[in-house]
Amino acid sequence: MKAIVTGISGQDGYFLSQLLLSKGYEVHGILRRNSSMSQGTIDLLPLDVRKDIIIHYGDITDENFLSKILKEEKPDELYHLAAQSFVGYSFENAQSTYDVNIGGTLNVCNAIRSSSPDTRMYFAATSELFGKPIETPQNEKTPFLPRSPYAISKLAGLWTVRTYRDAYKLFMSNGILFNHESEVRGPEFVTRKISMGVARLHQGLTEPLILGNLSAVKDWGYAKDYVEGMWKMLQYDIPDDFVMGTGESHTVRDFVDEAFSVVGMNVKWIGTGVNEVGLSDEEKVLVKVSRDLYRPLESDNYRADYTKAREKLGWEPRVKFKELVRLMVESDIKALNSQ
Ligand code: NDP
Ligand code: GDP
């Protein structure tokens, strides 16, 4: 079996490429060139894994490039993960978010349609489509009410996939995945920002963690579990859309509490809103809030109802909240210790 992964240098690409190689796939990755020629999370893979990935340099906004690759490789599966994936950035850079996430997804769909119609495609949609959901928990029937340029771009992607699937009878599936994190999550995302900050404070560094909305409620799982779900979607009999999450809700504040508890520290919260601070038992300021880190619109109250994925695909998240926080904090402590 042969698979192409767009966005292979991101968090999910790191876990998916390992999963596919372990299943005996020939794995091809699409990678954007950058001036330092660094390869993102591919650089973090063990050498014996990295050497087996075939890299094609190119950008998903280039349809000719994608058509050529699809024509040449005719993969059995394509996992379309590449995106401008940071919600906060999308408010400042809506145009480029739309260009990559909408234009890029259209290009991938067109390239499959014209050059490799037997390829099965996975599209990385998101729980952000739910915005401020009108029901809890959320499943495939919950209305989409996007509240950021990122979410709008992913909604366009999801509908492009649905339309191509129905109009041209292509095997294209949408994963409506809730937040999933890991030890290789980008440092701008709140979970990794917290795990790295707690590791630094544990090492005796004194700068407090500065965060935005501590009350946002998310459903956080472990990325390694979710890439297995992506793979299962493409092994299913028919193309379809699936929600995947843990079914647990936690606030950003809960994540901070749990992360400090991993290093044996307690956080005492005082104040509210932008005046809230988290103090140690010795009254040292561990966490502060900055208005600048609030988003113009928040999307939260997330909790996944992944019944369909469980019943149809046999998918189940293995790592839940506490274990996720522990593995992220311990990994960042280990990284600091080895510097
Ligand atoms: P990352 O941000 O870690 O990875 C995104 C990848 O896309 C990177 O490899 C990036 O390359 C690549 N990319 C961005 N723009 C382009 C472009 N124009 N051409 C080629 N490659 C490009 O995201 P994740 O791995 O966390 O997520 C994977 C997908 O799943 C994304 O589409 C994301 O939106 C979606 N998703 C993620 C969730 C999560 O919680 N992680 C939840 C739901 C959906 P580079 O290294 O050069 O920047
Ligand atoms: P997202 O859910 O894909 O937007 O993932 P993020 O990790 O970027 O954000 C998760 C939640 O954390 C959002 O509700 C943010 O508003 C909230 N948040 C609070 N403080 C911060 C922060 O300092 N950085 C980020 N990235 N998010 C924060």
Side-chain angles (χ1 to χ4, degrees), residues 85-87 128 179 185 188-191 193 210-214 216 218 220 252 293 295 298-299:
S85 70
F86 190 48
V87 174
E128 288 296 310
N179 294 54
R185 181 62 144 153
E188 70 276 36
F189 291 91
V190 77
T191 54
K193 191 170 164 186
I210 308 207
L211 297 171
N213 181 7
L214 295 171
K218 298 280 173 177
W220 283 293
V252 172
L293 292 167
R295 292 177 178 167
E298 186 60 275
S299 55

Side-chain angles (χ1 to χ4, degrees), residues 9-12 32 59-60 81-83 85 125 150 154 180 185:
S9 59
Q11 169 188 260
D12 291 1
R32 302 193 269 193
D59 199 293
I60 58 159
L81 309 182
S85 70
Y150 168 77
K154 287 287 184 175
H180 44 279
R185 181 62 144 153

